[in-house]
Amino acid sequence: MDLGIKGKWALVCAASKGLGRGCAEALADEGVNLVITARGAEALEATAAALRARPGAGEVRTVAGDITTAEGRAAALAACPQVDILVNNAGGPPPGDFRQWDRETWLKAVDANMLTPIELIKATVDAMAERGFGRIVNITSGAVKAPIDVLGLSNGARSGLTGFIAGLSRQPALASRNVTINNLLPGAFDTDRLRVTMQGTAQKTGQSLDQVAEARRMLAPARRFGTAEEFGALCAFVCSAQAGFLTGQNLLIDGGAYPGTY
Ligand code: NAD
C-alpha cells in the first residue's frame, strides 16, 4: 500500500536506535525526507548512512544534540525545511522509588517526556494546519494505561502529555485542516532500553538475564517482545495520507499485554 507521503519532510526525534529508528526506517521506505536526531553523533551518522541505503529513501539529515534542551530543539527544527510529520521521542526516565525523587528529578522527567513534545508541537502545528497536512506521533508508553510501579516518573510525566494531547488534537482548527495527533503506546520492545531495564532487574533479584527476559516475554499473550520494525510500520501508517480521520488516539502495541477490554 502506498501511504501517500513520498516527498514529505519528517522530524524524527531520538532516532539513532530503538523505536525512533524503527519509525525513521519505515518513513524512509515511503520516500519521506528525514531529519533524525540523537545525542551521540557516531550512532546517529551510522543510522543515517543505513537509512540512505534503503531502497526508495529520500534525503536524510542529522542533528546531534539533546532534544530536551531549547538548543537541541532549535537545531532540529532549523535543519528541517518544513515539518509535515513530527515523531516525538526521547529517552525514558529512570526507575526508582518516589521517596527518593526531588523536585529536580521530577522537572527533568516532565521536561523530557511532556514539555519537549509540547514545545515541538507548538513550533510546527500551525504551519501544518496552514498547509492542510500534518501528522504528529508521540511515542509514550503502555505505562500510560497500566502504570508500572517503579516507573512513576514515566507514569506521571507521560500522563500529563496524554491529557494535553487529548484536548489539542480535538481542536477543530487542527482536525479540520488534516492535522492529526496520536500517541503510540509501546509494551515491551526488544531495544537497548529494555535490555538495560532487564539487566537492572537481574542484578536486583539475582536471576540471570535470560530468566528475567523469559519472565518478561510471558507477560504478553504474544509471548515475545515487539520489534522496532513492527513499531515503525504502525507509525508510518498513522502518518499516512489514509489516516487523516484518525486523531486523538492512544494506540497500544503490546502483544496483548494490557488486560482491559477498552
Ligand atoms: P533506546 O534506548 O533503544 O533508544 C533511545 C534513542 O533515543 C537513542 O537513539 C538515543 O540516542 C536517543 N535519545 C535518548 N535521549 C535523547 C535525548 N535527550 N535527545 C536526543 N536523543 C535521545 O530506547 P527505546 O526502547 O527506543 O525507547 C524509546 C522511548 O520509548 C523511551 O522514552 C522509552 O522509555 C519508551 N518506551 C520503550 C519501551 C520498550 O520496551 N523499548 C516500552 C515503553 C516505553
Side-chain angles (χ1 to χ4, degrees):
M1 178 161 134
D2 178 351
L3 299 185
I5 47 179
K6 188 176 162 83
K8 301 277 187 205
W9 275 95
L11 169 56
V12 186
C13 305
S16 68
K17 295 180 193 163
L19 305 180
R21 178 173 175 158
C23 295
E25 287 174 349
L27 291 171
D29 291 350
E30 292 299 317
V32 173
N33 299 310
L34 295 168
V35 174
I36 59 168
T37 87
R39 280 173 304 191
E42 204 178 318
L44 184 65
E45 291 308 328
T47 298
L51 288 168
R52 289 182 192 112
R54 293 176 81 90
E59 199 174 324
V60 181
R61 299 183 184 177
T62 58
V63 178
D66 185 339
I67 201 70
T68 69
T69 64
E71 305 78 60
R73 288 190 290 275
L77 290 167
C80 203
Q82 68 182 48
V83 181
D84 303 306
I85 295 168
L86 170 64
V87 180
N88 278 314
N89 185 31
D97 184 324
F98 92 102
R99 293 165 189 82
Q100 268 92 56
W101 297 332
D102 58 15
R103 182 176 166 75
E104 281 314 302
T105 308
W106 271 107
L107 290 180
K108 216 171 155 198
V110 169
D111 239 346
N113 299 113
M114 178 180 173
L115 298 180
T116 289
I118 292 173
E119 289 284 351
L120 287 168
I121 292 169
K122 185 175 158 192
T124 54
V125 77
D126 290 331
M128 289 177 180
E130 267 167 41
R131 290 192 297 268
F133 180 92
R135 298 286 183 265
I136 298 172
V137 168
N138 304 302
I139 300 180
T140 64
S141 173
V144 168
K145 282 189 76 118
I148 301 170
D149 62 351
V150 293
L151 291 179
L153 291 166
S154 173
N155 300 338
R158 295 191 203 272
S159 293
L161 176 67
T162 304
F164 171 75
I165 295 298
L168 182 70
S169 60
R170 288 169 173 84
Q171 286 189 0
L174 301 178
S176 76
R177 295 289 303 152
N178 193 21
V179 176
T180 69
I181 315 180
N182 292 288
N183 305 317
L184 300 189
L185 283 53
F189 276 78
D190 191 9
T191 66
D192 283 1
R193 161 97 177 163
L194 185 69
R195 278 185 286 275
V196 169
T197 315
M198 290 191 308
Q199 266 156 9
T201 308
Q203 273 163 10
K204 225 163 111 180
T205 60
Q207 293 174 292
S208 71
L209 186 57
D210 279 352
Q211 284 171 318
V212 173
E214 185 55 18
R216 191 73 200 267
R217 271 189 216 99
M218 295 308 279
L219 290 178
R223 300 289 190 249
R224 66 175 178 88
F225 298 136
T227 68
E229 291 73 24
E230 289 171 313
F231 192 86
L234 176 60
C235 176
F237 177 73
V238 172
C239 294
S240 70
Q242 290 89 338
F245 208 49
L246 176 74
T247 197
Q249 299 306 302
N250 290 289
L251 303 171
L252 264 176
I253 172 166
D254 69 351
Y258 176 70
T261 305
Y262 301 106

